[in-house]
Amino acid sequence: MFDPAAFPEPTLVPVNGVELEVFEAGRENAGKPVVLCHGWPEHAFSWRYQVPALVAAGYHVIVPNQRGYGRSSRPAEVTDYDIEHLTGDLVGLLDHYGYADATFIGHDWGAMVVWGLALLHPKRVNKVINLSLPYQERGERPWLEFMEEVFGDDFYFVHFNRRPGVADAVFEENTFRFLRNLYRKNEPPKEPRPGMALIDLARAEKPLGEPVMSDGELAVFVSAFESAGFTGGVNWYRNLDRNWHLLADVDPVVRQPTLMIHGDRDQVRKSPRPAAFVPDVEVVGLDCGHWIQQEKPEETNLIITKWLERHDAV
């Protein structure tokens, strides 16, 4: 297991009207930037196993806690967490370090932001590597409206929007239990039940499956969310339909070389046609669940570094 003390010390970087808590390594590799973008409810620390591997491979690694997380700014307005603000933060980060572009690696919601960045600021992205969440086709109806019809009112995306503040409060009352119960692997199958699954998970006394991380690693996440709360991160979900409207007139094709890594046991569905909007994509699967880079760190590192080696050699 990773020693939390070995993770880089953070600095606060002013970008785009906010401050981001940024963990940086490999400055000696200046000129080859890689930016790692976490998901929900995560933290820059979720990339702890990738940082040294990427530095060893010759990259300048930049890992922000994105707005709403850790010691980064937590604006009060929900709309301050839309895709324009989130991608604007990453553009500001590139400007801060003096880079015209970079390779961006995202997991979960971080992948959603990286997809959006490639569409809204294509010249700032030279390669895309995303984990878990495939490219989301925009479709003819707002995403939330579609989800509500298909998955119902208790689906967490819908619940976060229709009942603002309810889930946030439960997570904050049960921070340790929620994160302990969420970060699991090899969970036995369970029957669907009525109610909001994540609220039930936050209140469950016993976790299922095996822990993804050690007690010391989990403590980093728990401490961060006890301090920052969950509302900032949940506000990303509350901009889903706003993002759908903001992307209406944008070229929907991701033209950068792209690597998509799935967990074969992840509940996030794979794209049935990954090349439809991402023509230069390579898709790889690993035998794991949702927390790909934490469940299979060595395999993830090897796939990423070998893919980068091939594409940087072109």
Side-chain angles (χ1 to χ4, degrees):
M1 291 292 182
F2 189 88
D3 177 6
F7 202 62
E9 287 294 316
T11 56
L12 289 177
V13 176
V15 299
N16 196 29
V18 297
E19 284 187 323
L20 297 185
E21 182 182 23
V22 179
F23 303 80
E24 180 193 3
R27 189 173 287 192
E28 66 273 16
N29 301 322
K32 293 184 69 179
V34 172
V35 182
L36 307 180
C37 302
H38 65 79
W40 180 87
E42 291 188 283
H43 187 278
F45 189 69
S46 64
W47 298 107
R48 60 198 174 278
Y49 291 105
Q50 285 65 55
V51 172
L54 286 165
V55 170
Y59 293 94
H60 179 196
V61 185
I62 301 164
V63 197
N65 265 331
Q66 298 178 82
R67 64 169 65 196
Y69 290 85
R71 291 170 56 214
S72 296
S73 297
R74 302 188 299 276
E77 292 295 325
V78 171
T79 53
D80 284 343
Y81 297 86
D82 67 24
I83 196 67
E84 287 188 345
H85 285 88
L86 296 174
T87 59
D89 292 350
L90 299 180
V91 169
L93 206 54
L94 291 185
D95 292 343
H96 172 81
Y97 286 103
Y99 288 125
D101 58 25
T103 296
F104 285 84
I105 306 180
H107 172 252
D108 184 80
W109 251 107
M112 177 75 90
V113 177
V114 172
W115 292 126
L117 182 69
L119 298 179
L120 292 167
H121 304 278
K123 293 182 179 179
R124 308 307 297 266
V125 182
N126 58 49
K127 288 179 289 294
V128 170
I129 301 175
N130 275 334
L131 284 65
S132 181
L133 187 78
Y135 179 93
Q136 301 298 294
E137 297 182 21
R138 185 172 172 276
E140 296 180 357
R141 297 167 60 197
W143 285 311
L144 197 66
E145 179 184 314
F146 173 79
M147 288 178 177
E148 188 167 18
E149 181 177 299
V150 174
F151 301 114
D153 295 345
D154 285 327
F155 184 58
Y156 67 106
F157 276 79
V158 180
H159 189 285
F160 287 161
N161 281 272
R162 301 296 186 240
R163 301 186 65 191
V166 174
D168 320 27
V170 174
F171 300 154
E172 288 170 15
E173 290 166 6
N174 302 277
T175 298
F176 168 76
R177 184 179 290 182
F178 176 49
L179 295 174
R180 178 202 64 183
N181 294 350
L182 185 68
Y183 282 104
R184 312 298 289 186
K185 59 184 178 180
N186 301 325
E187 296 180 46
K190 48 187 179 290
E191 291 292 326
R193 49 180 290 180
M196 204 286 211
L198 289 179
I199 288 178
D200 291 344
L201 188 70
R203 291 172 169 160
E205 293 187 8
K206 293 184 179 179
L208 299 175
E210 304 162 23
V212 167
M213 60 186 90
S214 70
D215 290 346
E217 292 172 312
L218 179 62
V220 175
F221 286 76
V222 172
S223 175
F225 281 98
E226 284 179 342
S227 175
F230 288 86
T231 297
V234 173
N235 280 343
W236 293 28
Y237 290 89
R238 295 181 176 130
N239 281 280
L240 203 65
D241 281 359
R242 181 176 171 84
N243 295 345
W244 184 87
H245 288 288
L246 289 171
L247 293 170
D249 298 321
V250 177
D251 177 1
V253 178
V254 173
R255 304 184 188 280
Q256 294 86 345
T258 300
L259 172 64
M260 182 68 227
I261 304 175
H262 290 287
D264 292 336
R265 288 181 273 162
D266 193 348
Q267 293 185 5
V268 176
R269 297 178 180 179
K270 300 176 184 177
S271 170
R273 46 178 202 157
F277 289 90
V278 192
D280 189 5
V281 65
E282 179 178 338
V283 181
V284 178
L286 286 173
D287 182 23
C288 64
H290 182 67
W291 314 110
I292 297 169
Q293 75 270 30
Q294 300 184 78
E295 291 185 48
K296 295 286 187 180
E298 293 180 4
E299 295 90 333
T300 301
N301 292 348
L302 186 62
I303 290 168
I304 288 174
T305 55
K306 290 295 185 184
W307 186 86
L308 285 171
E309 184 180 350
R310 290 201 316 271
H311 284 81
D312 284 341
V314 174

